[in-house]
Amino acid sequence: MPLARFAMRRVLPLMVVTPFATSRGVAGSHLADVVLGATEAPTGSYVDRGRVSRSSQESYDPRREKELWDAAERLIAAFVS
């Protein structure tokens, strides 16, 4: 756990200076733009740092969707009961 805590506190915050991550403020702005309609994101789209694109083809597979939903229900049931 100490290594994970160190990484979360010291290493991960440095990721915002790379093209792989954004700060909380910038991410919040992108989210607000989608919610408020400034960035048009139709249902089923994927938004990455303000850029809208179609989600992966696998995400439209009804069988996979059902498997995921069933797994989520099983996991939640374990906590509820």
Side-chain angles (χ1 to χ4, degrees), residues 4-65:
R5 200 169 316 130
F6 172 80
M8 294 294 251
R9 289 186 180 154
R10 305 284 186 216
V11 178
L12 291 180
L14 299 174
M15 293 294 292
V16 297
V17 298
T18 72
F20 304 110
T22 57
S23 69
R24 285 184 281 182
V26 172
S29 292
H30 290 312
L31 177 59
D33 287 344
V34 172
V35 170
L36 298 174
T39 299
E40 194 171 322
T43 299
S45 60
Y46 177 79
V47 181
D48 179 17
R49 296 178 208 134
R51 293 183 307 270
V52 179
S53 60
R54 185 169 160 83
S55 182
S56 69
Q57 190 57 41
E58 315 168 298
S59 69
Y60 298 97
D61 182 345
R63 183 186 54 79
R64 289 175 59 101
E65 181 180 350

